Amino acid sequence: MTLNRRELLQKGAQIALGIGMGSGLLAAGRTELIAAGTGSPADSKSFPARFLWGAATAAHQVEGNNINSDAWLLEHLPKSMYREPSGDACDHYHLYEQDINLLADLGLNAYRFSIEWARIEPEKGYFSRAELDHYRRMLDACHRRALTPLVTYSHFTLPRWFAFQGAWENPESSDLFARYCERSTKHLGDLIAYAATFNEPDLSSLFHWINLPDLPAGSDLASTMAAQKAGLRQALNAPEFSGFLIGDARKTPENIMAAHTKGKAAIKSVRSAIPVGLTLAIEDDQPAGPNSRFAEKQAEVYSPWFKLAKNDDFIGVQTYSRSRIADKTIPPPENAERTQMGYEFYPESLEHTIRLASKETGVPVIVTENGVATENDARRVEYIQRALAGVKRCLDQGIDVRGYIHWSLVDNFEWIFGFVPKFGLIAVDRETQKRTPKPSAAILGKIARNNSL
Ligand code: BGC
């Protein structure tokens, strides 16, 4: 099934409820960030020693029963715009050990996952030791299998209480986030290899550049979402209610940037050795025609975050496709192959965005998400091979890329689109929760084992 922007529009307010666009060591401090080895000959197919090869998930998309999160609430509204609720999802909350073992058995050496704030602090100021212990067990499971764990502290979803207090529109939000970072790091920090405060905090700005075919001229995904918020507040009888993607763009970036800075300081106050950064949704923007607003988009969406990331230990690059910018974003070429998300199948986008992020930030790059939604796993194989050829070209030209983390480890809950899009290296039977690795998993695993294309 192909989902396109039209379907997205028809789902209306669901847009407001959280959508991943993709459009995702134990040393000391920035200087001690473990460097991938250098010296792979440019003409060989090998990658640097200690290159991170992994797969990613996000808590809400795989754990199941994340009942204290804002997303759970929105999924269960009478006129929810989510196609279906997350429910048990992949029951990763209970089956994490099996999933981590599968990932390691494939030959990968890194696992990126998120810890869920709504579980760790289900009521304001109440921290659950039992839930923190859960994430400690996950980290232990990674170390037992010699996997490098990369932990995201906030991957879209928020505790309900935080959403009811205005989420990132609330001036108190950055301090609340920093407190959560500190408490979590105190419990988990000795086992965390890399920390990302936020997943794709640039997404709400990116939405301004996504045009919907059926909207009046000048409308975009961001204005559509803003229009939904009033209805949501009414439905919930919650005048302050907000969320990651429906926040007021005049207030949220500033608060999220402050939250990143304070969160990073909180993490480092517990263990300065942890390399900290954030991950950005970066589309491979390409100017089209004489009046392209390409430069305007770059300045608006990415520049503020690149500037912030200059002070970080790494930048997480998350890329899925390209975007052609004329006076507005134009659709993919007529004959272009589309993925299940409606995007153009365009694996070369990754090479381009790695170059951009590296040039603009000057810090090491980790590809923290890259992948394709498709029922046809042979297309995933081609996508991976072409994307990795691009990563290799970057490395050969001296760009400091430390790892490639594929999105996603398992077929999972793709936000408003429910379980339809298939991003996984591993299929999941929704009835039995049985896992079945796809051929693409074996192919990526083999590349990882050989550390070579
Ligand atoms: C998000 C993921 C999402 C993926 C695919 C990324 O933007 O971080 O949560 O599932 O894209 O759409």
Side-chain angles (χ1 to χ4, degrees):
M1 177 187 177
T2 295
L3 297 161
N4 56 29
R5 303 231 194 278
R6 179 179 300 262
E7 179 164 338
L8 199 92
L9 174 63
Q10 281 159 357
K11 286 175 181 278
Q14 67 189 1
I15 293 159
L17 312 186
I19 160 183
M21 291 301 297
S23 7
L25 100 172
L26 302 165
R30 175 170 179 167
T31 46
E32 294 175 57
L33 173 74
I34 287 184
T38 49
S40 62
D43 57 351
S44 89
K45 293 189 168 181
S46 20
F47 280 64
R50 295 187 297 279
F51 194 78
L52 296 172
W53 294 103
T57 61
H60 189 77
Q61 295 179 263
V62 291
E63 285 182 343
N65 301 299
N66 184 19
I67 59 174
N68 291 312
S69 78
D70 59 342
W72 183 275
L73 173 69
L74 298 169
E75 289 161 24
H76 290 274
L77 282 180
K79 288 188 191 149
S80 176
M81 292 302 176
Y82 280 78
R83 179 189 174 95
E84 55 192 322
S86 52
D88 287 342
C90 306
D91 200 16
H92 186 66
Y93 188 81
H94 297 105
L95 302 178
Y96 68 86
E97 178 119 35
Q98 179 188 334
D99 291 338
I100 287 170
N101 282 332
L102 275 172
L103 184 150
D105 290 344
L106 290 173
L108 303 177
N109 63 25
Y111 181 35
R112 171 177 180 244
F113 63 95
S114 70
I115 56 174
E116 183 62 58
W117 187 1
R119 288 187 193 273
I120 293 172
E121 191 180 359
E123 293 293 340
K124 188 175 185 180
Y126 168 79
F127 288 85
S128 165
R129 192 187 165 96
E131 295 291 2
L132 284 165
D133 280 344
H134 168 79
Y135 291 115
R136 209 170 158 85
R137 286 191 291 273
M138 280 185 74
L139 287 160
D140 270 332
C142 290
H143 287 288
R144 276 200 300 280
R145 295 302 311 266
L147 298 174
T148 297
L150 298 91
V151 172
T152 308
Y153 281 58
S154 179
H155 194 122
F156 299 161
T157 43
L158 299 167
R160 279 187 196 209
W161 61 263
F162 186 82
F164 277 98
Q165 292 182 4
W168 301 109
E169 293 175 29
N170 178 356
E172 205 196 353
S173 55
S174 57
D175 290 326
L176 292 167
F177 180 71
R179 180 174 68 174
Y180 153 69
C181 289
E182 189 192 1
R183 293 293 287 262
S184 302
T185 312
K186 276 190 173 146
H187 209 82
L188 308 171
D190 56 323
L191 300 179
I192 293 176
Y194 292 84
T197 52
F198 287 99
N199 181 70
E200 301 185 341
D202 58 329
L203 209 50
S204 52
S205 309
L206 191 55
F207 282 177
H208 283 284
W209 291 85
I210 296 178
N211 302 303
L212 298 167
D214 295 341
L215 284 180
S219 296
D220 55 43
L221 197 44
S223 51
T224 308
M225 289 197 304
Q228 307 296 337
K229 193 162 66 176
L232 272 170
R233 286 179 164 176
Q234 210 174 4
L236 295 167
N237 191 20
E240 310 285 329
F241 189 89
S242 190
F244 187 75
L245 297 170
I246 53 174
D248 181 339
R250 287 164 305 182
K251 299 181 193 157
T252 58
E254 198 185 322
N255 287 332
I256 297 179
M257 284 188 185
H260 170 70
T261 304
K262 290 179 190 174
K264 181 170 72 169
I267 293 168
K268 291 209 180 253
S269 75
V270 178
R271 198 172 139 246
S272 61
I274 302 177
V276 185
L278 46 76
T279 77
L280 293 181
I282 314 180
E283 295 187 324
D284 175 16
D285 292 331
Q286 301 182 359
N291 300 318
S292 172
R293 289 169 64 211
F294 165 86
E296 197 186 321
K297 178 178 176 189
Q298 299 275 306
E300 193 179 301
V301 180
Y302 310 117
S303 296
W305 298 101
F306 283 152
K307 196 168 157 218
L308 190 67
K310 280 183 188 190
N311 299 315
D312 291 347
D313 297 311
F314 68 91
I315 173 94
V317 167
Q318 310 198 159
T319 298
Y320 289 82
S321 187
R322 71 167 167 172
S323 190
R324 297 183 308 148
I325 314 294
D327 57 336
K328 57 181 186 166
T329 308
I330 55 174
E334 280 291 306
N335 55 355
E337 176 181 350
R338 305 251 193 152
T339 75
Q340 272 184 308
M341 300 295 283
Y343 313 142
E344 184 176 355
F345 182 96
Y346 194 80
E348 286 68 29
S349 56
L350 183 60
E351 173 180 358
H352 304 156
T353 58
I354 290 173
R355 288 181 194 282
L356 176 73
S358 171
K359 178 166 143 287
E360 295 296 323
T361 64
V363 296
V365 170
I366 302 175
V367 177
T368 40
E369 283 185 29
N370 175 248
V372 59
T374 177
E375 292 276 7
N376 179 353
D377 194 55
R379 300 310 295 141
R380 188 176 345 272
V381 171
E382 177 168 337
Y383 189 96
I384 290 172
Q385 286 167 334
R386 281 168 52 185
L388 287 177
V391 176
K392 180 71 169 101
R393 282 190 290 272
C394 291
L395 284 162
D396 288 347
Q397 287 170 14
I399 297 176
D400 188 356
V401 190
R402 304 289 173 94
Y404 175 85
I405 313 287
H406 191 77
W407 184 270
S408 178
L409 178 63
V410 286
D411 286 338
N412 62 41
F413 182 68
E414 179 58 25
W415 307 109
I416 59 168
F417 301 114
F419 292 94
V420 173
K422 302 288 188 277
F423 277 98
L425 296 167
I426 298 174
V428 176
D429 183 315
R430 305 265 321 113
E431 283 299 308
T432 62
Q433 295 290 356
K434 185 173 179 307
R435 273 61 170 156
T436 309
K438 304 175 189 176
S440 56
I443 285 167
L444 181 60
K446 188 169 172 220
I447 294 172
R449 264 185 229 281
N450 295 339
N451 201 30
S452 179
L453 289 178

